Amino acid sequence: MTEPLKIYSIPTCSDCNYAKRFLKENGIPYTDYNCEEHVQYAREVLELTGKQIVPTIVIGDQVFIGFADNLQKISDLVK
């Protein structure tokens, strides 16, 4: 992976926090885009997915809505 993955999140989202904990524990670099603090990030999520759901995770050209349901696919891509 050449660039850090992107995770669009909000601080109170348990799935978001689970995703970030997983990434940290596995030494996977990521950039966190806080949709609660910056409305433009929430707009980016809407443009990417057609929905306003966090976490939205972007790895290269792949977009995942939610973490727990996509754990295996994300894990395969980043390890």
Side-chain angles (χ1 to χ4, degrees), residues 33-52:
Y33 295 88
N34 186 327
C35 296
E36 194 171 79
E37 289 181 5
H38 303 282
V39 71
Q40 73 267 23
Y41 298 149
R43 285 190 207 110
E44 287 177 24
V45 169
L46 186 59
E47 289 172 14
L48 285 167
T49 66
K51 303 174 183 180
Q52 290 186 316

